[in-house]
Amino acid sequence: MLTARTGWIWPFYSLVSALQCLLLIACVLSAPAQALPTSNTEAKSLAVLAFELHDLTLLPATPAELERTQAAQGILAKTLQTAGYRIIQVDPILQNQANQGVGYLVAHPEKAAALGKTLQADYVLVGRIQKPSFLFAYLFVQVIEVNTGQQLAELSVEAKGQTLEASHRALLQLASSVQALLPYPKQSLAHTPTVTPSFNAPIYQKTTQKAFTAVIDDLVFAISQHNFRLTEQANIGRAIAEREEKDFPQLTVLHFCNLSYAQALLEKQLASSLQMPCRISVRQVGDQVVIETLLLADNAMQQALIDEINQILQAIVDTGAA
């Protein structure tokens, strides 16, 4: 009797368990799906306004200066777009309507933010050029957050000279500062392509009538003074003369390196290891000595570092030629 009863109850409970499982599955399937967390990879949108010129010189607003000022907006916008930001085109009419006078948007970030809201931008960059002298000018960029109407920072850089190239280099430095300030989409390392730095580097050259050996001595001293280490002094001209047993113009190549700069360049993929260490060529050409070195090519997002190293290389060469 017990056996018969057990045999009847077991299938019944098995059937109930199966129905409960089916009901649970149905509830799960009918429940609203929960969104998985996703990373914010959408590019930030920037509205780069046309720059204002504040020329305090005795000959203000020359055609060349106006041309430099008008070009600033496009240079900065293009550089930031290359860096991965989404650039919002700014209608000059809308900017003029928002700007009630020279310096108005600079003094009223909330008005710049309102303009940015109309343009559907995340940030507004308000730029101006202040020129107190014919020798230099200051470029300013105010970074305004549209949602809060607050100024996040005022970035500035000095441009020496009156050429468009001087302004261009200053704007590259400003773009680098903007990138350091504002969040932007970053690729994962697994999907980051390997970048081969360009070898299209400019050559910096000086000539002097100093004695060849004096030039070498001054260069070696300058290298050490700038915290670089001389790794090799290749006397190529003398080696050729000794092998061929005849006169050959003097030619020496100095190899030198700073490990901190080398590490930064390699990690940021600004230079190839084939370009290291730094080199300076010194060669006798008639009664003159020619001193040459390869500079680093411009890089919009790391221009400050590029300029720092290039200025050191130029200073070393200048010392050898002085």
Side-chain angles (χ1 to χ4, degrees):
M1 191 71 179
L2 181 61
T3 305
R5 183 178 177 86
T6 304
W8 175 81
I9 293 176
W10 175 252
F12 174 77
Y13 280 105
S14 298
L15 177 61
V16 171
S17 299
L19 290 174
Q20 288 175 337
C21 290
L22 290 174
L23 180 61
L24 178 61
I25 293 173
C27 290
V28 172
L29 292 177
S30 62
Q34 298 295 322
L36 295 175
T38 57
S39 59
N40 183 19
T41 58
E42 184 180 356
K44 297 298 180 181
S45 58
L46 310 181
V48 182
L49 303 187
F51 278 61
E52 288 185 347
L53 174 62
H54 300 182
D55 195 337
L56 307 177
T57 62
L58 296 177
L59 188 62
T62 63
E65 198 61 48
L66 291 175
E67 181 182 358
R68 283 209 305 170
T69 304
Q70 292 170 0
Q73 178 188 23
I75 295 172
L76 182 59
K78 183 178 179 181
T79 303
L80 291 170
Q81 186 176 39
T82 302
Y85 296 97
R86 186 164 59 90
I87 300 300
I88 304 296
Q89 296 298 320
V90 180
D91 187 339
I93 296 177
L94 289 179
Q95 180 173 345
N96 290 335
Q97 289 174 348
N99 191 12
Q100 298 183 16
V102 176
Y104 181 79
L105 291 179
V106 172
H108 297 84
E110 72 281 0
K111 299 299 182 181
L115 174 60
K117 188 173 183 180
T118 301
L119 297 171
Q120 297 183 340
D122 295 317
Y123 301 92
V124 177
L125 305 188
V126 183
R128 72 185 190 276
I129 298 176
Q130 187 167 331
K131 185 180 178 184
S133 166
F134 293 113
L135 302 177
F136 60 90
Y138 296 106
L139 280 72
F140 296 90
V141 167
Q142 288 177 293
V143 182
I144 311 299
E145 187 175 32
V146 172
N147 286 340
T148 63
Q150 300 296 313
Q151 174 182 305
L152 298 183
E154 183 178 71
L155 310 173
S156 64
V157 66
E158 180 183 5
K160 295 182 179 180
Q162 302 188 69
T163 64
L164 182 59
E165 181 183 357
S167 293
H168 189 204
R169 295 179 69 85
L171 288 163
L172 291 179
Q173 293 184 43
L174 284 174
S176 179
S177 298
V178 170
Q179 183 187 1
L181 177 68
L182 298 181
Y184 67 101
K186 296 182 180 180
Q187 295 177 316
S188 64
L189 293 177
H191 297 88
T192 302
T194 301
V195 178
T196 302
S198 171
F199 283 92
N200 297 325
I203 295 176
Y204 185 71
Q205 181 187 92
K206 287 283 186 175
T207 59
T208 180
Q209 292 187 331
K210 290 166 54 177
F212 190 89
T213 55
V215 172
I216 296 295
D217 291 342
D218 289 344
L219 288 172
V220 171
F221 174 76
I223 288 170
S224 64
Q225 288 296 104
H226 286 88
N227 202 29
F228 279 71
R229 179 182 177 185
L230 184 68
T231 59
E232 183 181 358
Q233 180 172 327
N235 299 310
I236 299 174
R238 186 174 65 188
I240 293 175
E242 291 175 354
R243 187 190 68 176
E244 300 297 327
E245 297 182 351
K246 64 179 184 180
D247 291 339
F248 193 88
Q250 296 187 83
L251 168 60
T252 296
V253 179
L254 302 176
H255 296 216
F256 54 100
C257 186
N258 177 296
L259 289 181
S260 297
Y261 283 135
Q263 180 181 357
L265 292 172
L266 292 172
E267 289 179 345
K268 298 176 185 297
Q269 297 186 335
L270 300 177
S272 166
S273 57
L274 294 174
Q275 295 171 281
M276 298 181 183
C278 299
R279 300 175 181 86
I280 290 181
S281 166
V282 185
R283 52 193 174 92
Q284 188 78 47
V285 180
D287 60 350
Q288 291 189 327
V289 177
V290 179
I291 313 168
E292 297 172 311
T293 190
L294 283 177
L295 301 179
L296 295 170
D298 287 342
N299 183 286
M301 293 301 100
Q302 298 293 336
Q303 193 59 42
L305 176 61
I306 295 295
D307 286 343
E308 181 179 347
I309 297 174
N310 281 344
Q311 287 171 8
I312 292 175
L313 294 175
Q314 292 172 332
I316 294 173
V317 171
D318 291 345
T319 299

